[in-house]
Amino acid sequence: TIGSMGVDLSLKGRSLDAVLRQSSLKFFIKQGSWRIKSPASDNYLDVTGLNGEIVADKEEAVAINLDGVVGKIPVKFDISGAT
């Protein structure tokens, strides 16, 4: 779930292909939560207090940068896709 979210969107291009290649999108997340299911069991990991951003910049890999808490343990997610 998302507590608060903001979006910064920059669209450029005259065709759908150009828009996808030239545009950028940034989501800002504050006080969200994420329930992650273990692939090896029926257990879940609840991450709360998520803050950070998800960025899809023109011709760059999608990047996810989030900080949160599991129980009382601080966690950080820095995930990026292949370019």
Side-chain angles (χ1 to χ4, degrees):
T1 61
I2 298 172
S4 298
M5 183 183 87
V7 178
D8 183 5
L9 179 62
S10 173
L11 293 176
K12 296 180 181 176
R14 292 182 182 232
S15 68
L16 179 57
D17 181 59
V19 168
L20 293 174
R21 284 185 289 112
Q22 299 174 14
S23 299
S24 64
L25 176 65
K26 186 181 286 191
F27 289 100
F28 302 94
I29 299 169
K30 289 187 177 182
Q31 294 304 307
S33 62
W34 189 4
R35 176 168 258 202
I36 303 170
K37 184 179 183 305
S38 168
S41 70
D42 288 331
N43 295 327
Y44 289 90
L45 184 65
D46 290 316
V47 183
T48 59
L50 280 174
N51 294 298
E53 61 187 21
I54 301 170
V55 179
D57 222 348
K58 57 186 172 194
E59 299 188 20
E60 296 289 330
V62 173
I64 300 172
N65 302 299
L66 299 171
D67 296 315
V69 178
V70 175
K72 294 182 180 182
I73 302 168
V75 294
K76 183 172 185 71
F77 297 94
D78 286 323
I79 304 167
S80 64
T83 55

